[in-house]
Amino acid sequence: MKLKAFFVLLLLSAVPLAFSEILAMNAEASYYAEKFHGRKTASGEIFNMNALTCAHKTLPFGTMLRVTNLQNNATVDVRVNDRGPFVKGREIDLSKAAAQKLGMIKTGTARVKIEIISPNGTSAVASRSAASPNTNSAARADYWDVQVGSFTSRENANRLAQALLKSGFENVYFQETSSVTRVVLKRVPDAQLPEIEAKLRANGYTDYVVKKNA
C-alpha cells in the first residue's frame, strides 16, 4: 500500500499545475474602443482596441487576468496596460476585442469573475537556438525591447506608432526624453523575437534596434 501511494504521489508531482487567484467573483466590466484607439495608455503603451488588454485601477501593468462572463460563461485572458475604469462600481475596462470574446458588445457591461493568472505577465518561454542577427547583445534574455524609430518630432513618432498598430504589432510604446520620442515594441518574449523581426523586415522596418528588457 505504501509503495502504491508513493507512485501516486510521484505521478502527481510530475503533472504541472496551473494556479489562479480570484480577484472578484461578481464584478462589473465595461469596455472602451474607437474613441481611445491609438492613444497613449497610463503604462505608456499605445492603446490597441484589437488587442486583448484591459484597464484596472490598481493592479501592476503586465498582470494577466482571466475574465469570465457570468451570464454566458465566455472567457478571455487579458493583460493590464492601462488605468481605469473611472465609473463608480466598475472593476475592469476591457478592450473591444476582449469584450467581443465575452459577448458583451451589445450590452456594454457585464457581470464577470476576474482571476489573476500571472502577477506580472511572465510565462515560461523557450530560448532561441541561436541569437538573432540584429541583437545588440550576445547574451539571451527572457524579454526584449525593439526600438523601431526615434524622432525629434512627436507627430512623426505617432505616425509610426499608428502604422505599426495597423500592421498588427502589439505592445507599441512611446519612450520620451527631453529631445526625442522613441517608438518601441516592449517586452517581446524571447521565443517570439525571430518572428517579430521577420515581420518588421517584411513591412520595411530594417533599422530597428533590439535591447534586453530592463
Side-chain angles (χ1 to χ4, degrees):
M1 181 65 70
K2 289 183 178 180
L3 184 61
K4 182 178 180 181
F6 170 78
F7 279 114
V8 170
L9 288 172
L10 183 62
L11 286 171
L12 287 175
S13 65
V15 177
L17 299 178
F19 295 94
S20 64
E21 174 187 347
I22 295 178
L23 179 68
M25 277 298 300
N26 187 24
E28 185 175 31
S30 52
Y31 76 93
Y32 60 137
E34 286 85 357
K35 182 179 178 181
F36 298 93
H37 184 68
R39 294 188 183 183
K40 188 176 181 179
T41 65
S43 69
E45 184 176 347
I46 308 304
F47 176 62
N48 181 358
M49 68 180 182
N50 300 310
L52 297 178
T53 59
C54 68
H56 192 271
K57 296 185 183 74
T58 59
L59 289 173
F61 297 132
T63 302
M64 292 296 299
L65 304 175
R66 179 160 296 157
V67 184
T68 303
N69 188 333
L70 296 178
Q71 185 170 358
N72 59 16
N73 288 321
T75 298
V76 66
D77 293 348
V78 293
R79 175 174 54 84
V80 177
N81 73 340
D82 203 1
R83 290 291 176 237
F86 300 107
V87 176
K88 187 177 180 180
R90 293 183 185 174
E91 180 72 19
I92 192 170
D93 227 354
L94 301 164
S95 66
K96 185 177 182 179
Q100 287 173 328
K101 286 186 176 292
L102 292 183
M104 54 176 283
I105 293 295
K106 290 184 178 180
T107 58
T109 60
R111 305 303 300 184
V112 299
K113 176 175 72 173
I114 305 174
E115 301 168 87
I116 298 176
I117 57 175
S118 176
N120 58 4
T122 59
S123 60
V125 294
S127 295
R128 300 193 310 284
S129 58
S132 164
N134 200 40
T135 300
N136 288 2
S137 173
R140 294 174 183 173
D142 290 333
Y143 292 92
W144 304 88
D145 292 342
V146 183
Q147 180 182 305
V148 187
S150 180
F151 304 91
T152 55
S153 166
R154 176 61 184 269
E155 182 180 349
N156 290 337
N158 188 61
R159 189 177 295 113
L160 173 58
Q162 293 289 339
L164 290 170
L165 289 175
K166 289 180 181 178
S167 296
F169 291 96
E170 298 182 4
N171 295 8
V172 183
Y173 282 74
F174 288 136
Q175 290 182 339
E176 298 179 275
T177 70
S178 58
S179 57
V180 299
T181 299
R182 299 184 179 97
V183 181
V184 180
L185 305 179
K186 291 279 286 183
R187 287 183 63 80
V188 176
D190 186 68
Q192 294 179 14
L193 183 59
E195 178 185 348
I196 293 297
E197 289 189 276
K199 186 175 180 180
L200 283 169
R201 291 192 294 269
N203 282 272
Y205 305 113
T206 57
D207 291 332
Y208 58 87
V209 178
V210 180
K211 300 178 181 179
K212 289 182 181 179
N213 178 263

